[in-house]
Amino acid sequence: MTANRASRFNRRLLIRGAAAGAAVPAVLPTAAQAATGTVPRAPGNPDATTSDAKTSNAGTSNAKTSDATFQWLGTSGWRIDTGGGRTILFDPYLSRFETGLFKKSFNPKTPLTTDGATIDRHIGRPELILVSHSHWDHLNDVPYIAAAAPDARIVGTETTYHLLRALGVDKARIAVVRGGEVLDFDGLVVEAVSSRHSRNDSYGYFAPGTLTGPPPRPQTVSDLPEGDTLAFHMTLPDGLSAFLMGASDFSERDAAGLRPDVAMIATPSTPATHRYAPRLLKALGYPATVVPVHWDNFELPLDEGAHRDPTIDLDGFIARIREASPGSRILLPEYATTYRF
């Protein structure tokens, strides 16, 4: 995408706060809302952006806004705080170091580093960390967070387990799942969903492979193979359900019937996966709210606000979501901004 087009995107969808310099999230109306002139309320009030989203699909007028709050941490990462004061992290990658990926000079031997100060500002005291797969932009900060939050339990694949062991995390704190497990964490129900990694133009992807034992301590981004990919369907104690993806492909059969209230779906960079958006949204039962993620340049500082990955056609993806699920509300999130659904 050209720089001019990227600039038009930023002006149209990301509104910068002139006084504070903070970005305000844009909420895109459904087709019906656009036709009638009814649009979601101002993004300056995040609590109001999705409070009536269930009515678009369920046909009810008494939908309740959950007390839980969601904050996008960039890439596919989320911090979720329940109304009862419990914190869950999904794919928390906050260090955002430079690998050359977005400058077309990617260095697979880039050393793994952590930005402890940034991580500490954003993670709270998590009791649960969900990891979709083991690439650096999903797993890199988990060992640091595990040390900072010694009571947190981690859920991920066998490869994630072996890598975290090699990085010093106590094996007793890591729960290995394959997909299909439904785990009850004192009223917080987490279903592991077998999923798939995003595909590039050659129908492959970076650093495939799985581990069956702990490797030497990982030192570079290439030392972290994918190791299979999971999604998670999480039902909070107050009943709200959310689908969390870490990569832009999926198993249609495994996702079918989950019917989350809100779906955080990864944005594809290529058309390699056949009819990705319509098949995914149909499998999920056309969620009331759809939140595109993993469309940002995750090597820029978090406090600069979200800048899009220039290889991704986010406008086109949003159009495909709207066409496939016209009753869904689309929320384009901004970093570390509080949302309720």
Side-chain angles (χ1 to χ4, degrees), residues 13-64:
L13 293 182
L14 297 182
I15 305 170
R16 301 289 178 184
V24 178
V27 181
L28 308 184
T30 66
Q33 291 164 341
T36 62
T38 302
V39 298
R41 280 180 273 181
N45 180 4
D47 288 0
T49 59
T50 55
S51 60
D52 63 345
K54 292 183 181 179
T55 63
S56 63
N57 283 349
T60 63
S61 59
N62 60 349
K64 176 183 179 294

Side-chain angles (χ1 to χ4, degrees), residues 153-222:
R153 184 174 295 277
I154 303 156
V155 181
T157 66
E158 183 179 1
T159 295
T160 292
Y161 169 83
H162 290 309
L163 288 167
L164 290 177
R165 285 185 63 196
L167 289 162
V169 179
D170 182 356
K171 65 180 181 180
R173 300 176 60 191
I174 311 166
V176 175
V177 294
R178 300 177 184 273
E181 299 88 351
V182 182
L183 308 178
D184 192 328
F185 296 96
D186 192 22
L188 171 68
V189 180
V190 175
E191 180 174 354
V193 182
S194 178
S195 196
R196 303 294 184 269
H197 195 273
S198 318
R199 298 281 159 174
N200 58 29
D201 286 327
S202 299
Y203 299 89
Y205 56 90
F206 172 77
T210 58
L211 298 176
T212 58
R217 186 179 179 88
Q219 301 291 330
T220 73
V221 296
S222 63

